[in-house]
Amino acid sequence: MPSFVRTRRFLCAYGRAMAQPVIPVVWLVTSIFGIVAGPFGTEQFPLTGLLAFWPITIGLGVLTGGLLRVIVRDYWGLRNFWPEAPLIAVLATLGLTPLFLALARAVAGPAQNVPSIMEMTSYIFIMSIITSTLRHAVAATWPGTPVTGGAVTAMPVTGTPVTAEGRAGTVPPEPAPTDPIPPRCDAAARLMARLSPGLRAPLIRLQMRDHYVEVFTEAGSETVLLRMADAICAAEGVEGLQVHRSHWVARQAILGVMRGQGKVLLALQDGTQVPVSRGNAPAVLALGLKEIPPQADNGPEAPQALAAR
């Protein structure tokens, strides 16, 4: 898998981990508690030291916790509270203790009454366990809430956007979902949940159309009100390439590459040809895709013209 695809997937997963609505609440509540109560040996800090120490350490802990959740949950596959929460707490304690001790010495004032190593490790471990407990409690109370992050909701699309064939048409409102939302472990599950049940099939490509994204699957296509970047994130689990600012294609749907007249196109299994931008052309050609001879353009409705519109 190309490195930029792995990087995009990691950033998408990290963005979801940090999108939990409980995170800013935890940060605010624990910061206020730390400033007022001065626990774990910080009661001797001056007020300015408390105002600096607690919000900074809680914020760093949240950012580090999100990173560790991505690694433990999405890459190691440990999704249950046990052993996920204790493992994250141990890793966070090992990584953050030296940093937090250095920060404590910097803000403790002339008296330098800093917490001991045992107090600091206990603080980090306990706060990590509390955060994990809140996340799992929220997921258990509201089952539709993913444990590692949130998703941008796709609203029904009405009006006269351009259809796949380049003609103006009316996109029917998105029906109320009646089928269960597919589990997150399925490929592109979050994106499939935004489509009508009959269109939830293997993903072929995404195409940006103004403020909308048209999702093409093996069962057809549907337009959703969603940013292109958010649609790509929601396609997690499907290996793919963003070959143009308006086009993303699934790797398994690519038949080959076509070159002619200074342009690079990807031929897909649904008969369309997706343009590759000049900036992305070297990376696409480096994949070693099968070379396909260019086809004659038989008019504006030819299959190779559809994706370019």
Side-chain angles (χ1 to χ4, degrees), residues 155-237:
M155 301 299 292
V157 178
T158 57
T160 56
V162 180
T163 62
E165 292 77 18
R167 298 186 297 267
T170 300
V171 180
E174 184 177 344
T178 55
D179 290 1
I181 294 178
R184 286 191 69 252
C185 57
D186 292 346
R190 293 193 300 124
L191 185 59
M192 293 297 110
R194 273 49 180 178
L195 302 180
S196 301
L199 295 177
R200 297 173 187 172
L203 184 62
I204 295 177
R205 64 187 178 95
L206 305 173
Q207 182 170 355
M208 181 174 68
R209 301 187 185 279
D210 296 325
H211 301 295
Y212 308 111
V213 170
E214 189 162 12
V215 182
F216 294 82
T217 70
E218 293 182 1
S221 67
E222 189 169 23
T223 304
V224 294
L225 181 57
L226 195 64
R227 295 186 308 168
M228 186 68 165
D230 293 328
I232 294 173
C233 284
E236 180 196 21

Side-chain angles (χ1 to χ4, degrees), residues 8-174:
R8 182 183 294 278
R9 285 189 176 180
F10 177 82
L11 293 177
C12 287
Y14 186 66
R16 290 196 312 276
M18 300 311 299
Q20 280 282 351
V22 73
I23 287 179
V25 177
V26 170
W27 175 82
L28 180 62
V29 171
T30 52
S31 296
I32 294 175
F33 173 79
I35 293 170
V36 174
F40 303 106
T42 63
E43 66 276 0
Q44 300 299 324
F45 283 14
L47 179 59
T48 54
L50 290 171
L51 290 173
F53 179 79
W54 284 104
I56 291 176
T57 55
I58 295 296
L60 290 175
V62 167
L63 295 175
T64 303
L67 179 65
L68 293 175
R69 285 197 297 277
V70 172
I71 296 173
V72 172
R73 293 181 59 86
D74 294 356
Y75 287 83
W76 295 354
L78 305 176
R79 297 180 176 274
N80 295 327
F81 182 84
W82 178 268
E84 180 224 20
L87 180 57
I88 290 176
V90 169
L91 294 175
T93 301
L94 294 175
L96 293 176
T97 297
L99 181 61
F100 285 10
L101 283 173
L103 178 61
R105 294 189 181 99
V107 302
Q112 285 294 297
N113 293 317
V114 300
S116 66
I117 293 179
M118 184 60 66
E119 289 175 322
M120 188 64 72
T121 55
S122 299
Y123 151 61
I124 296 173
F125 186 87
I126 291 172
M127 292 309 303
S128 178
I129 291 293
I130 290 175
T131 303
S132 294
T133 301
L134 287 174
R135 286 191 296 105
H136 283 270
V138 169
T141 305
W142 296 284
T145 304
V147 176
T148 55
V152 176
T153 303
M155 301 299 292
V157 178
T158 57
T160 56
V162 180
T163 62
E165 292 77 18
R167 298 186 297 267
T170 300
V171 180
E174 184 177 344

